[in-house]
C-alpha cells in the first residue's frame, strides 16, 4: 500500500515550491536502538521530499551533541530533546536525544519539536510546508442560530483546521459574507434562519463558492425549567427542528426530513444522561453505524471505512435532482445510506437507557447525505433579468461557476460529544475526519486529504496452519536474500561472459 513511499500529493506540493525551502534535521548520533530505525526513516523521508522538489528544497542533518552553538541553534528552531528510558545492562537509564525537524522559508520558521513515531509524520510535514508556502483559504462557520462551530461543538477539529485554513465566523442574518471567504460551514442550526440569512447563503453560493450544510431535521435539547423542577432535568428530548433552510435546500435539489433514521441491526453505543450529573453508555438504534464503500472519485470519503450517524435525518433528492437526475455538467455522490432494515421515526421521543421506538412500515435504505458539484439555480432570483454579475450588487439567478456543495441530515456525527467516545470506540473519530475532508473538497483544496488517513498499522496474516506460517517465515528470512544473491551471481557471470567475448 506504499505506506513508506512519499505520496503523490506531497511530491506535487514540493514540486510547486515558489522559493527555496530549507529543512534542518536535528538528530543525535548516539540514538538508542529503540529509535535508530525511526531516525533512518526520517532521513529517507526528508530526502524523498528533496528529490521531488526540482532543487527547491535543501536539507542538512545536524548532531548538536555537546556543541553549545548547535544546541542554541536547536533552541532557536524550537526542537527539544526527547527523554527516553533505555535498558543498559541490568538497569534502566534515562537519556535525552535530539530527533526533530526545523523548516525555514524566507522569514518563516516552523518545527516538529520531537518525532516519536513514523505514523502521521508525512502528513505533519506536508501540512507545515503547505502552511508556509501556500496562501491559506478562509473558511467561515455560521453563528447566531445555535450552530456548532470551532469554539463550541467542533473544538476537536479546530487545531487541525487552523493548520490549513484561516477560520472565521459570520452571522448571515446580520452580516454579509465577505468576498475573501472561500468556503462556508453551516453546523446544524437549532434556531431558524430568517429570510435575510437564507438570501445571504444563497448569494454566497451563486458566486460559485462551496459550502457544507449540516441540517438536523430532528434535534435533542434539554427540557425547560418546568421539567427540571419535576426532577427530569437530565433527560434529552428529541423533536422536530426548524432550521429555515428548507427553501434553499429544496431549490438546490435536497430535502431533509423531520425524522430520525433508526436501525436495530446497526445500533452503536452512545452516551445518555444517567441522573445526578452522570453519563453512561448504552446501545440505541438512533446511533446508526454504516460501512462506507470505497469511492475513488470523491475525496470526502477518503480513508473512511465506516462511521456513526447519531440522530440523523433522511436526505431526499427533489426538484432539479429528483430521481437522481443531474443537470448538464453536474455530478452527484451519495455519501452513505442506511441498511434495508432501517426505518424512520418522525415524532417526539425522550433519550434514556430504556428508550424504545416503534418501528414504522417505511423501510430503508435511506440516504444520510450527498455531495454535489455543478451549476445551481438561486432559490430567490428567477430569470436572467436579475443580472449575471455581482459587481453592482445585482442578485444572481444562477451560479457563476460550478458549486461544490455537501448536504448531510446530521451535525452530531462530527460533534465533540461523540468525538470524545473515540478513545473507547475508534470509529467515532471518522466523523470529524469526514467533515475535515468535506471542507477541503468544497474549497477545492484536496492536496492533504489522502495523507490524513495514511496508516502504517500492521497487516497480520489471516488464520493459517502452523506449517504454512513457518514456510512463509523462512521464505522471508532466507528466500529473499538467496534470490538477491542469485541475481547478483547471474549479473556477474553475464558481465564476465561479455568481457570474454570482447577479448576474443
Amino acid at each position: 500500500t506504499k505506506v513508506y513511499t512519499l505520496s503523490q500529493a506531497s511530491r506535487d506540493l514540493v514540486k510547486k515550491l515558489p522559493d527555496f525551502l530549507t529543512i534542518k534535521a536535528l538528530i543525535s548520533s548516539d540514538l538508542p536502538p529503540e529509535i535508530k530505525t525511526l531516525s533512518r526513516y526520517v532521513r529517507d523521508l526528508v530526502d524523498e521530499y528533496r528529490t521531488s522538489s526540482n532543487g527547491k528544497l535543501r536539507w542538512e542533518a545536524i548532531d548538536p551533541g555537546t556543541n553549545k552553538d548547535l544546541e542554541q541553534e536547536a533552541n532557536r528552531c524550537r526542537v527539544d530533546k526527547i527523554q527516553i528510558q533505555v535498558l543498559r545492562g541490568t538497569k534502566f537509564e534515562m537519556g535525552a536525544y535530539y530527533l526533530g525537524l526545523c523548516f525555514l522559508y524566507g522569514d518563516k520558521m516552523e518545527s516538529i519539536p520531537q518525532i516519536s513515531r513514523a505514523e502521521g509524520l508525512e502528513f505533519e510535514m506536508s501540512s507545515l510546508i503547505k502552511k508556509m508556502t501556500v496562501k491559506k483559504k478562509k473558511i467561515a462557520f455560521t453563528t447566531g442560530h445555535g450552530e456548532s462551530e470551532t469554539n463550541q461543538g467542533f473544538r476537536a477539529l479546530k487545531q487541525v483546521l487552523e493548520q490549513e485554513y484561516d477560520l472565521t465566523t459570520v452571522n448571515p442574518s446580520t452580516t454579509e459574507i465577505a468576498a475573501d471567504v472561500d468556503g462556508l460551514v453551516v453546523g446544524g442550526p437549532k434556531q431558524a434562519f430568517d429570510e435575510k440569512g437564507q438570501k445571504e447563503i444563497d448569494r454566497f453560493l451563486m458566486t460559485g463558492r462551496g459550502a457544507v450544510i449540516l441540517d438536523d431535521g430532528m434535534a435533542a435539547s434539554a427540557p425547560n425549567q418546568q421539567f427540571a423542577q419535576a426532577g427530569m432535568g437530565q433527560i434529552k428530548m428529541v423533536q422536530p427542528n426548524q432550521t429555515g433552510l428548507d427553501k434553499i435546500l429544496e431549490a438546490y435539489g435536497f430535502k431533509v426530513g423531520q425524522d430520525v433514521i433508526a436501525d436495530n441491526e446497526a445500533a452503536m453505543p452512545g452516551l445518555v444522561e444517567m441522573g445526578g450529573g452522570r453519563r453512561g453508555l448504552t446501545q440505541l438504534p438512533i446511533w446508526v453505524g454504516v460501512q462506507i464503500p470505497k469511492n475513488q472519485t470523491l475525496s470526502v470519503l477518503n480513508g473512511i471505512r465506516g462511521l456513526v450517524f447519531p440522530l440523523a435525518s433522511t436526505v431526499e433528492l427533489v426538484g432539479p435532482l429528483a430521481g437522481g437526475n443531474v443537470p448538464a455538467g453536474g455530478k452527484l455522490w451519495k455519501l452513505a445510506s442506511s441498511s434495508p432494515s432501517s426505518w424512520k421515526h418522525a415524532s417526539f421521543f425522550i433519550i434514556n437507557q430504556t428508550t424504545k421506538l416503534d418501528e414504522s412500515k417505511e423501510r430503508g435504505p435511506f440516504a444520510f447525505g450527498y455531495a454535489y458539484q455543478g451549476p445551481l439555480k438561486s432559490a430567490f432570483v428567477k430569470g436572467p433579468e436579475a443580472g449575471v454579475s455581482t459587481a453592482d450588487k445585482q442578485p444572481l439567478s444562477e451560479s457563476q461557476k460550478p458549486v461544490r456543495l455537501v448536504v448531510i441530515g446530521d451535525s452530531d456525527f462530527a460533534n465533540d460529544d461523540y468525538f470524545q467516545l473515540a478513545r473507547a470506540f475508534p470509529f467515532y473519530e471518522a466523523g470529524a475526519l469526514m467533515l475535515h475532508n468535506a471542507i477541503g473538497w468544497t474549497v477545492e483544496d484536496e492536496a492533504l486529504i489522502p495523507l490524513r488517513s495514511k496508516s502504517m498499522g500492521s497487516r497480520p496474516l489471516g488464520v493459517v496452519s502452523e506449517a504454512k506460517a513457518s514456510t512463509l517465515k523462512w521464505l522471508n528470512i532466507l528466500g529473499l536474500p538467496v534470490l538477491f544473491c542469485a541475481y547478483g551471481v547471474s549479473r556477474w557471470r553475464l558481465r564476465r561472459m561479455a568481457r570474454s567475448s570482447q577479448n576474443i
Side-chain angles (χ1 to χ4, degrees):
T1 56
K2 300 184 179 180
V3 294
Y4 292 102
T5 303
L6 194 67
S7 300
Q8 189 59 46
S10 297
R11 295 178 189 274
D12 293 340
L13 181 64
V14 293
K15 192 180 294 183
K16 298 174 184 176
L17 285 173
D19 206 345
F20 289 99
L21 172 72
T22 300
I23 298 179
K24 294 184 178 182
L26 292 108
I27 304 174
S28 297
S29 58
D30 59 342
L31 288 171
E34 289 81 356
I35 58 173
K36 196 79 173 179
T37 303
L38 177 59
S39 73
R40 286 197 296 269
Y41 171 73
V42 171
R43 289 172 181 268
D44 291 343
L45 185 61
V46 175
D47 204 53
E48 279 200 78
Y49 276 98
R50 179 194 62 78
T51 304
S52 304
S53 69
N54 294 329
K56 287 290 184 73
L57 189 151
R58 298 170 292 195
W59 79 282
E60 59 177 329
I62 300 172
D63 174 20
T66 56
N67 188 310
K68 296 297 182 184
D69 293 335
L70 293 180
E71 284 189 349
Q72 288 180 2
E73 184 173 359
N75 290 333
R76 285 195 297 272
C77 287
R78 298 193 292 271
V79 173
D80 308 320
K81 286 185 175 180
I82 305 174
Q83 302 291 329
I84 299 177
Q85 193 177 47
V86 182
L87 178 64
R88 300 195 187 282
T90 58
K91 62 180 181 178
F92 282 100
E93 295 180 3
M94 184 65 73
Y97 309 92
Y98 285 103
L99 183 55
L101 296 174
C102 178
F103 300 77
L104 303 169
Y105 182 78
D107 59 350
K108 299 177 183 178
M109 183 182 73
E110 295 286 347
S111 66
I112 302 177
Q114 297 178 345
I115 300 173
S116 57
R117 59 177 191 163
E119 185 85 24
L121 180 59
E122 184 187 343
F123 174 68
E124 195 170 359
M125 289 179 64
S126 292
S127 295
L128 288 178
I129 293 172
K130 183 173 180 285
K131 177 182 177 182
M132 299 173 75
T133 62
V134 179
K135 185 179 183 298
K136 288 183 176 181
K137 295 197 173 186
K138 181 178 278 190
I139 307 298
F141 285 75
T142 64
T143 59
H145 310 86
E147 304 97 320
S148 293
E149 39 96 8
T150 52
N151 292 318
Q152 184 176 0
F154 296 146
R155 284 177 294 183
L157 265 176
K158 184 176 182 179
Q159 185 176 357
V160 291
L161 287 176
E162 284 179 332
Q163 289 284 337
E164 296 183 54
Y165 308 107
D166 283 330
L167 303 179
T168 188
T169 57
V170 62
N171 184 345
S173 295
T174 60
T175 308
E176 183 177 302
I177 302 171
D180 63 346
V181 171
D182 300 289
L184 189 71
V185 180
V186 182
K190 302 302 183 288
Q191 291 94 43
F193 278 83
D194 59 14
E195 187 172 343
K196 183 178 179 182
Q198 297 171 42
K199 285 184 175 180
E200 184 57 23
I201 294 173
D202 183 77
R203 183 197 66 80
F204 175 84
L205 291 170
M206 291 308 107
T207 61
R209 291 172 284 177
V212 177
I213 298 179
L214 311 179
D215 185 11
D216 300 296
M218 301 271 279
S221 60
N224 59 29
Q225 190 65 27
Q226 182 179 357
F227 280 89
Q229 291 174 352
M232 300 174 63
Q234 299 296 324
I235 66 172
K236 289 286 186 180
M237 302 186 303
V238 180
Q239 53 194 341
N241 183 37
Q242 302 291 341
T243 65
L245 297 173
D246 307 34
K247 181 175 181 178
I248 60 174
L249 288 179
E250 289 183 28
Y252 306 149
F254 306 99
K255 182 178 181 179
V256 178
Q258 288 193 323
D259 52 41
V260 169
I261 299 173
D263 191 339
N264 283 318
E265 293 184 8
M268 305 302 288
L271 286 173
V272 296
E273 302 292 344
M274 306 284 288
R278 297 178 298 111
R279 304 174 82 186
L281 282 170
T282 191
Q283 196 161 324
L284 295 175
I286 54 175
W287 296 308
V288 182
V290 296
Q291 186 174 2
I292 303 297
K294 194 169 183 179
N295 191 330
Q296 297 290 349
T297 63
L298 183 65
S299 62
V300 175
L301 301 175
N302 195 291
I304 298 173
R305 293 182 295 175
L307 48 79
V308 180
F309 286 102
L311 296 174
S313 299
T314 58
V315 181
E316 298 179 35
L317 298 175
V318 296
L321 299 178
N325 295 319
V326 181
K331 294 181 180 178
L332 182 70
W333 298 266
K334 184 188 290 185
L335 296 177
S337 58
S338 61
S339 73
S341 64
S342 61
W343 76 94
K344 293 192 294 187
H345 185 85
S347 59
F348 167 90
F349 66 95
I350 293 174
I351 300 178
N352 56 38
Q353 286 182 294
T354 59
T355 295
K356 291 190 181 298
L357 301 179
D358 294 330
E359 299 186 21
S360 64
K361 294 180 179 180
E362 191 174 0
R363 294 286 174 166
F366 305 110
F368 289 99
Y370 291 90
Y372 170 76
Q373 178 181 349
L376 286 180
K377 292 187 182 296
S378 171
F380 296 95
V381 183
K382 305 300 178 186
E385 67 279 0
V388 292
S389 170
T390 57
D392 55 358
K393 299 297 181 182
Q394 287 181 315
L396 295 162
S397 61
E398 190 171 341
S399 59
Q400 291 179 308
K401 62 178 185 177
V403 175
R404 291 191 175 193
L405 178 63
V406 172
V407 177
I408 301 175
D410 184 28
S411 64
D412 293 316
F413 72 95
N415 193 276
D416 292 332
D417 286 343
Y418 292 95
F419 184 80
Q420 292 172 4
L421 290 176
R423 299 173 185 174
F425 308 104
F427 46 78
Y428 270 107
E429 196 173 32
L433 174 60
M434 188 171 83
L435 180 55
H436 193 173
N437 289 352
I439 292 170
W441 181 79
T442 54
V443 297
E444 301 181 46
D445 186 11
E446 303 171 69
L448 298 183
I449 290 179
L451 305 183
R452 291 186 196 122
S453 56
K454 190 173 181 179
S455 171
M456 293 183 176
S458 61
R459 291 169 173 80
L461 295 171
V463 178
V464 296
S465 66
E466 187 175 344
K468 187 174 182 179
S470 180
T471 302
L472 291 170
K473 171 186 173 181
W474 287 108
L475 278 174
N476 280 280
I477 293 174
L478 297 177
L480 292 176
V482 168
L483 284 173
F484 183 76
C485 292
Y487 173 76
V489 170
S490 300
R491 289 278 298 171
W492 170 71
R493 289 181 64 86
L494 288 171
R495 294 173 75 174
R496 185 177 178 182
M497 290 172 62
R499 284 197 298 270
S500 299
S501 62
Q502 288 174 359
N503 293 335
I504 293 173

